[in-house]
Amino acid sequence: MEIDIGNALHSVATPGVSRETLERLDERVADAHDRIGTGIDGREHGYAALALPETADAEAIRTAVDPIDCEALLIVGIGGSALGAATIADALDVDIDVYTLDNVDPEYTSQLLDSLDLSRTALHVVSRSGTTAETLANFLVAREAMESVGVDWTERTLVTTGGEGNLRALAERHDLPALDVPAGVPGRFSVLSTVALPVAALGGGDVEGLLAGAGTEAETLSGSLFETPAYAYGATTYALAERGWTVNAMMPYAESLETFAEWFAQLWAESLGKDGVGQLPARALGATDQHSQLQLYRAGPRNAMVTLVRPRERADVTIPETELEGLAYLGGSSLGGLLDAEFEATEASLAAAARPSIRIELERVDAHGLGELLYGMEAACILAGELFSVPTFEQPAVEWGKRAARGLLGGGEFEEARAVEEKTRLVID
């Protein structure tokens, strides 16, 4: 993975980051790196995520999924319990159909379950606590749907959960294959673990390649942003946010990485959005959103930086010759060449308007490259959290909402639920 921060420098962006500022910031990066290294070595909460290339057990994951034969996989989870697996499935084009139930919209849930051949579908239910309301509710609905068409759900269900709780008890009662959620790894940092890697194992993906790619990126971590791509990204985005660039538009130029942008949005928002700081992650897709969102990023409020991601190598399609004079320039070129031109045009367009962007390039979107990208963004996020001085691995606002919802459903007495009654209303009908 290569990071180019040239278009974030003050010679391009207004305001941008000077080389001198980066050199001063590098002293803080060195201190943060020492803290991160201590956390990794001690397998401390959150920092343990960066040890996953070493600690994840690919063989245990393959053993757990081995009894399951399926043509489709339905992932039942929410947030990090589903987004990582969806990212892997979409990027690596696994050889099974993959669906997610990560919301509790009744119409969508019913339509999805009705559309699946449940006799050829497996469930992967993911919840660390085993008590996540949305996940457990969807699992119960999916289990009942299987039973209603005569499918033995116990033969088609894999569980990933903590050492105790409802899901663990269920797995033990029905002798379900079960994997342990890795200790000390928050859900949004768990993509390189038992939470998300089973989708690759079930779908013929390269689990070892993902971990090897992550390991390659882990080996680049050093005490300087000038030597570490992940730290260069984390430090530069931090410096830009401090200068008012508080929106970070993640814009991959590969259809297979569209879900990655969604995964990044959770990672960045939930980890850094605390104490009045952080960046709002926006999700975009090149070249599609050059025709929509780019207008705002180039000419709207001066608050949005753009992260451009592309692979250097990809399969290509030749554009046929045409008799249409105005399109003659396209004939004989390729869709890949056109997409690269769109990428570079977007980058140049932002620079011409003195708006910052950062370029991320992978060799290709394969297991190794994806592992590098995922690990790199996690390390960048943790580094940015150190620089922002926020509790990166906590999510108090998320927990507040969970308690409020549980109280409204009768799951206990929670003060947060009473806030619903205090809602200010100004209704126009």
Side-chain angles (χ1 to χ4, degrees):
M1 183 178 78
E2 182 178 278
I3 304 288
D4 181 355
I5 60 174
N7 279 357
L9 297 178
H10 75 133
S11 57
V12 177
T14 306
V17 185
S18 69
R19 176 77 185 218
E20 292 75 21
T21 295
L22 289 174
E23 289 173 352
R24 290 194 300 272
L25 186 58
D26 206 33
E27 298 176 9
R28 293 183 59 197
V29 169
D31 292 339
H33 172 68
D34 288 343
R35 175 68 190 96
I36 291 169
T38 299
I40 295 172
D41 292 341
R43 304 295 189 262
E44 295 179 36
H45 180 71
Y47 301 101
L50 297 185
L52 284 172
E54 177 185 346
T55 60
D57 188 343
E59 186 58 33
I61 292 170
R62 293 195 183 282
T63 299
V65 306
D66 187 60
I68 299 174
D69 178 29
C70 64
E71 295 176 359
L73 177 66
L74 180 57
I75 300 163
V76 185
I78 195 167
S81 295
L83 277 174
T87 297
I88 290 172
D90 289 346
L92 300 187
D93 191 24
V94 295
D95 60 15
I96 56 175
D97 295 325
V98 178
Y99 306 90
T100 57
L101 275 180
D102 60 350
N103 203 343
V104 286
D105 182 325
E107 289 190 3
Y108 174 78
T109 299
S110 298
Q111 291 168 4
L112 176 59
L113 292 173
D114 288 344
S115 72
L116 296 176
D117 179 355
L118 296 175
S119 68
R120 304 299 300 156
T121 300
L123 301 179
H124 183 200
V125 189
V126 186
S127 170
R128 176 187 298 276
S129 66
T131 61
T132 307
E134 299 91 342
T135 299
L136 271 293
N138 275 330
F139 170 58
L140 294 174
V141 171
R143 184 177 76 172
E144 183 177 66
M146 285 184 157
E147 290 174 340
S148 70
V149 294
V151 175
D152 185 350
W153 63 272
T154 65
E155 295 181 354
R156 316 198 61 75
T157 299
L158 168 70
V159 167
T160 297
T161 191
E164 56 186 30
N166 293 323
L167 276 184
R168 178 63 61 179
L170 184 79
E172 292 173 352
R173 183 180 309 125
H174 295 281
D175 196 26
L176 306 178
L179 290 164
D180 295 329
V181 172
V185 179
R188 59 190 177 277
F189 288 92
S190 66
V191 62
L192 296 165
S193 79
T194 52
V195 170
L197 293 178
V199 71
L202 278 166
D206 186 359
V207 177
E208 289 81 3
L210 281 161
L211 292 172
T216 296
E217 199 61 30
E219 290 173 1
T220 71
L221 299 185
S222 74
S224 173
L225 70 89
F226 297 108
E227 298 173 359
T228 307
Y231 288 172
Y233 184 78
T236 305
T237 52
Y238 160 77
L240 288 172
E242 291 291 281
R243 285 157 178 76
W245 303 102
T246 54
V247 175
N248 187 343
M250 176 58 69
M251 194 171 186
Y253 276 70
E255 200 85 20
S256 61
L257 292 177
E258 184 174 14
T259 311
F260 158 76
E262 189 172 351
W263 171 86
F264 174 85
Q266 184 199 2
L267 178 76
W268 215 247
E270 193 170 353
S271 299
L272 304 178
K274 290 144 194 169
D275 301 333
V277 301
Q279 281 186 317
L280 173 66
R283 293 169 283 183
L285 179 66
T288 301
D289 287 314
Q290 285 176 230
H291 297 268
S292 57
Q293 297 180 33
L294 182 60
Q295 176 64 40
L296 176 69
Y297 303 145
R298 190 181 192 275
R302 302 188 70 83
N303 64 352
M305 60 161 287
V306 180
T307 302
L308 301 161
V309 184
R310 73 169 172 183
R312 290 181 173 137
E313 298 178 14
R314 67 175 108 215
D316 209 348
V317 175
T318 300
I319 301 173
E321 302 287 348
T322 176
E323 72 282 5
L324 299 173
E325 183 177 344
L327 297 179
Y329 72 96
L330 291 174
S333 59
S334 70
L335 292 182
L338 177 57
L339 191 60
D340 282 339
E342 300 274 17
F343 177 98
E344 289 164 9
T346 296
E347 189 176 53
S349 171
L350 291 164
R355 309 293 177 112
S357 66
I358 296 177
R359 177 191 289 207
I360 301 176
E361 290 188 307
L362 314 173
E363 283 303 311
R364 63 191 65 83
V365 182
D366 59 7
H368 195 279
L370 183 64
E372 286 184 298
L373 179 63
L374 294 170
Y375 186 94
M377 291 300 98
E378 289 182 345
C381 182
I382 292 172
L383 184 277
E386 298 290 330
L387 298 177
F388 277 120
S389 299
V390 295
T392 307
F393 309 115
E394 298 177 10
Q395 50 284 330
V398 174
E399 298 303 324
W400 194 100
K402 286 182 180 180
R403 291 190 295 271
R406 188 167 181 178
L408 291 172
L409 291 169
E413 289 293 328
F414 294 93
E415 180 181 349
E416 292 84 353
R418 289 194 287 274
V420 175
E421 301 172 359
E422 300 169 3
K423 179 189 179 304
T424 301
R425 297 180 184 275
L426 178 58
V427 179
I428 293 91
D429 59 17

